[in-house]
Amino acid sequence: MTFEPETMQEKEKITPEHVYLNRRNFIRAGLVAGSTFATGLAYRVFNPPPPKEIATAEIKDVKTTVWAAEKPNSFEEITSYNNFYEFSTSKTEVARAAADFVTRPWTIEVGGLVDRPRVFAIDELLSFQQEERVYRFRCVEGWSMVIPWIGFPVRRILDEVVPTSEAKYVAFETFYDGKTGMNPDVKLPEGRNGMQSSLFAGIDFPYVEGLRLDEAMHDLTIIATGLYGKQLPNQNGAPVRLVVPWKYGFKSIKSVVRITLTDREPPTTWNIASPTEYGFYSNVNPNVAHPRWSQATERRIGEFGTRPTLLFNGYEDQVAHLYDGMDLRKKF
Ligand SMILES: Nc1nc2c(c(=O)[nH]1)N[C@H]1C(S)=C(S)[C@@H](COP(=O)(O)O)O[C@H]1N2
Ligand SMILES: [Mo]
């Protein structure tokens, strides 16, 4: 299994049928289809109110920072078109395949080159001051969205464990268990047993990713705990995932259980799978083509046609200094 460019993928338009795949919206979808009063409801389902309104309804004292001028994608779009190979390699199947993924209890173990290694329980991470960050999100395949994440800077965790002076990189690892989901006591129903094998997905599990320490410490780099003011749906990487908005989407590793500070560049899943196509840095860059397709434009989910891809996904002013003096074609 490899990534395919958008143009080669079967065009999967986000239509009302896709709401069907999201079990929680099944009844609402039925109402929309069946009701003569549907117009207003359909409008709200597919064009939810601005993120701030929703966020304040469910998460108190959340500060919103909008890092994208464009309209956010709808909750349905964000939660029904996903890449999460542990569950399915079909973007429209992930939500259904991940529906029974058990994400409690959950811990993140943080160690390696740190003074104070420790384990964070999910409740502690959720008790950190949460913020809303509206970011562009660009997949290497050529599609993009605008997503109102909820979360906190990764720096918040790193400050707590205190990296040593040798620490130069941060490695992240996704939970993986092809049989049981998180809790070994929970027996999942046949055919709904969560994660699939590496052999089936075509990439190694557990999924691993990495950043340079200064990239991880950057304020735009967050651990997301939710989106649209609600805790993360399984298909988006529940209960906690990385979001690095200036890098291709595959760097934003989902369902993180381990963070390790290291002195050398850590292995990363897509680089292992295809080193000539996916580098360690993977900064969004319209001027560096993928060996099999151009990265100059992208298709925003929900729009027709394409828009130009922006250098560093539009976050050049914030992050370009991290790569001063670096050849972005060699360090792709
Ligand atoms: N563990 C894990 N993390 C992952 C992936 C994956 O398959 N497994 N896919 C990546 C890719 S290619 C993308 S584009 C984003 C998709 O995130 P989304 O489904 O929330 O939009 O997750 C990234 N993180
Ligand atoms: Mo992606």
Side-chain angles (χ1 to χ4, degrees):
M1 188 59 61
T2 58
F3 282 138
E4 295 297 343
E6 262 284 301
T7 48
M8 284 168 62
Q9 291 168 25
E10 192 190 330
K11 285 283 183 234
E12 298 166 293
K13 293 203 197 74
I14 304 295
T15 64
E17 293 100 87
H18 287 83
V19 177
Y20 182 88
L21 297 175
N22 186 332
R23 292 192 310 175
R24 276 184 304 175
N25 287 316
F26 177 69
I27 295 172
R28 280 206 295 172
L31 279 171
V32 170
S35 164
T36 48
F37 303 103
T39 321
L41 182 57
Y43 181 79
R44 271 175 282 134
V45 168
F46 297 109
N47 300 277
K52 199 170 180 183
E53 248 176 272
I54 296 182
T56 48
E58 307 220 355
I59 297 181
K60 292 190 187 74
D61 305 323
V62 74
K63 182 183 89 180
T64 296
T65 322
V66 179
W67 287 98
E70 314 92 276
K71 178 171 157 284
N73 283 88
S74 70
F75 184 81
E76 281 67 23
E77 285 165 344
I78 297 166
T79 58
S80 63
Y81 191 79
N82 303 98
N83 270 328
F84 201 164
Y85 275 38
E86 287 86 336
F87 291 104
S88 173
T89 53
S90 162
K91 281 184 264 299
T92 50
E93 286 298 318
V94 171
R96 186 156 53 189
D100 292 322
F101 183 39
V102 180
T103 61
R104 296 293 189 284
W106 192 277
T107 55
I108 298 190
E109 197 181 327
V110 188
L113 298 174
V114 297
D115 286 340
R116 295 159 54 192
R118 53 163 298 201
V119 173
F120 294 84
I122 184 63
D123 289 342
E124 183 176 3
L125 300 173
L126 294 173
S127 78
F128 290 173
Q129 178 65 57
Q130 308 287 311
E131 290 177 44
E132 180 172 68
R133 300 282 187 94
V134 183
Y135 286 157
R136 279 179 291 273
F137 189 89
R138 168 62 155 83
C139 175
V140 75
E141 296 167 319
W143 54 268
S144 66
M145 300 203 203
V146 173
I147 304 182
W149 301 107
I150 300 280
F152 57 86
V154 171
R155 191 185 57 230
R156 177 77 181 73
I157 290 181
L158 298 178
D159 284 346
E160 202 106 352
V161 296
V162 190
T164 69
S165 57
E166 286 88 64
K168 297 284 181 287
Y169 295 90
V170 189
F172 299 83
E173 186 179 316
T174 293
F175 172 80
Y176 183 66
D177 183 331
K179 286 200 183 64
T180 61
M182 185 68 184
N183 186 340
D185 296 327
V186 175
K187 182 95 175 64
L188 293 165
E190 199 69 317
R192 299 299 294 271
N193 59 347
M195 295 182 161
Q196 59 181 348
S197 70
S198 278
L199 204 67
F200 207 80
I203 55 173
D204 286 353
F205 296 138
Y207 193 103
V208 289
E209 257 305 336
L211 296 171
R212 233 169 43 195
L213 181 57
D214 58 345
E215 296 176 322
M217 294 292 284
H218 194 284
D219 186 64
L220 287 180
T221 307
I222 60 168
I223 294 286
T225 58
L227 59 87
Y228 266 118
K230 305 182 179 83
Q231 286 187 18
L232 275 185
N234 289 348
Q235 60 268 35
N236 295 96
V240 277
R241 62 92 59 87
L242 184 69
V243 175
V244 194
W246 71 93
K247 292 177 180 283
Y248 290 119
F250 65 83
K251 298 292 290 183
S252 292
I253 181 174
K254 294 178 168 181
S255 305
V256 173
V257 286
R258 184 166 294 111
I259 298 178
T260 311
L261 284 283
T262 65
D263 57 0
R264 65 195 68 165
E265 199 178 278
T268 57
T269 292
W270 279 98
N271 178 255
I272 295 167
S274 186
T276 58
E277 295 182 308
Y278 310 105
F280 174 79
Y281 284 92
S282 297
N283 293 314
V284 175
N285 191 337
N287 310 312
V288 177
H290 184 282
R292 292 184 282 131
W293 62 88
S294 161
Q295 294 290 25
T297 62
E298 65 199 54
R299 183 176 71 99
R300 179 66 47 83
I301 298 299
E303 291 181 357
F304 296 99
T306 57
R307 20 167 105 229
T309 286
L310 307 171
L311 184 59
F312 297 113
N313 207 21
Y315 303 110
E316 186 179 359
D317 288 352
Q318 287 72 38
V319 303
H321 68 93
L322 295 171
Y323 312 102
D324 275 350
M326 204 159 138
D327 182 345
L328 297 175
R329 287 179 185 276
K330 291 212 177 90
K331 296 280 184 186
F332 65 94

